[in-house]
Amino acid sequence: MRIVLLGAPGSGKGTQARKLMADKNIPQVSTGDMLRAAAAAGTRFGVQAKPLIDAGNLVPDDVVLGIISERLGEPDAQEGFILDGFPRTTRQALDLEELLDQMGTPLDTAVLLDVDFEILMKRLTGRRTCSMTGKLLNVYFSSREELGECTGAGGELVQRVDDNEETISNRLAVYRENTEPLIEFYRQREKLITINAEGSVAEVYESLIAALS
Ligand code: AMP
């Protein structure tokens, strides 16, 4: 199964990709996670990418494409992959198409996680990660018990640097301008499936599995 998860920041791509990875035993390939790891490790690309990530701007296509082509060549990606946060521009989508054609393994599906703007804002501004377990939580949507489990055990609810309101607005604008055209791109190639991604994690996952079967 080779799929792209499309959707605005906060639409739940990472959460759904991780569930799918655990179920189907194929890797989640998140360019955002890889770029953050590179920035934290202080590699040359990471140092270049960090200010762009922090401001919610896109990292140059050639940097991201280099990372992706290397990652998709690794053994664990040969049986399939879930692309999360890539492609984000038409250039990236065209280059991905070419890369997969060369590998003889074309993309199966692009799934659009469709979420209303108001909900996206709450998901993004409320998003936190537990510093102890790494669990993704949300101050608006997680239960008091779930939040308490983290803080009660001495953990902190950490906010991503790019989850502040100013950067979020920019990320959503960047999405509209650069990434939204990919919906039409994949529709024209008859690879697009749209699912309503406004429900709970479990409900959205159910729709995702139904869409992929
Ligand atoms: P994400 O975790 O997917 O929300 O990505 C976080 C940030 O990483 C984005 O705001 C961009 O700065 C950068 N990034 C992630 N994926 C890409 C991509 N495919 N192209 C360009 N920049 C990216």
Side-chain angles (χ1 to χ4, degrees):
M1 183 192 289
R2 291 176 295 276
I3 65 169
V4 163
L5 290 185
L6 272 181
S11 58
K13 299 185 298 294
T15 302
Q16 296 298 328
R18 279 189 281 275
K19 274 181 86 67
L20 203 54
M21 169 168 74
D23 253 14
K24 305 281 179 194
N25 207 22
I26 49 172
Q28 168 208 19
V29 175
S30 158
T31 41
D33 285 350
M34 289 191 279
L35 289 166
R36 275 187 292 277
T43 67
R44 192 160 58 88
F45 286 145
V47 169
Q48 200 186 326
K50 184 155 186 350
L52 295 167
I53 298 171
D54 289 352
N57 291 320
L58 294 182
V59 171
D61 286 340
D62 53 347
V63 172
V64 181
L65 284 161
I67 292 176
I68 277 286
S69 58
E70 208 168 282
R71 181 67 187 89
L72 296 188
E74 284 177 25
D76 68 333
Q78 302 319 302
E79 297 304 314
F81 47 77
I82 308 148
L83 290 177
D84 158 14
F86 178 92
R88 257 177 159 97
T89 64
T90 304
R91 176 79 263 146
Q92 291 179 14
L94 286 167
D95 284 0
L96 173 67
E97 196 169 51
E98 199 184 314
L99 178 70
L100 294 180
D101 278 352
Q102 280 168 5
M103 293 165 77
T105 54
L107 192 73
D108 295 314
T109 310
V111 183
L112 171 65
L113 304 187
D114 198 22
V115 179
D116 173 76
F117 181 80
E118 298 277 306
I119 298 177
L120 286 179
M121 279 311 270
K122 276 194 152 177
R123 283 193 184 166
L124 290 164
T125 54
R127 179 157 69 179
R128 302 288 185 277
T129 306
C130 177
S131 62
M132 287 193 53
T133 60
K135 188 174 175 182
L136 266 185
L137 297 160
N138 189 294
V139 295
Y140 300 116
F141 301 120
S142 301
S143 67
R144 205 179 277 252
E145 288 76 28
E146 271 183 305
L147 294 168
E149 253 174 48
C150 174
T151 49
E156 274 179 52
L157 298 171
V158 182
Q159 192 170 24
R160 251 171 66 168
V161 180
D162 58 350
D163 274 347
N164 63 75
E165 278 200 34
E166 193 188 334
T167 308
I168 288 169
S169 301
N170 188 39
R171 286 162 65 204
L172 290 172
V174 167
Y175 172 76
R176 284 222 184 87
E177 190 180 330
N178 298 279
T179 313
E180 221 163 45
L182 297 186
I183 297 172
E184 198 45 43
F185 179 98
Y186 286 115
R187 186 176 286 130
Q188 280 178 11
R189 283 158 175 74
E190 299 185 345
K191 300 219 184 229
L192 185 77
I193 299 177
T194 302
I195 62 169
N196 180 324
E198 293 182 352
S200 67
V201 171
E203 283 164 350
V204 175
Y205 190 64
E206 209 173 293
S207 306
L208 178 61
I209 291 295
L212 292 174
S213 62

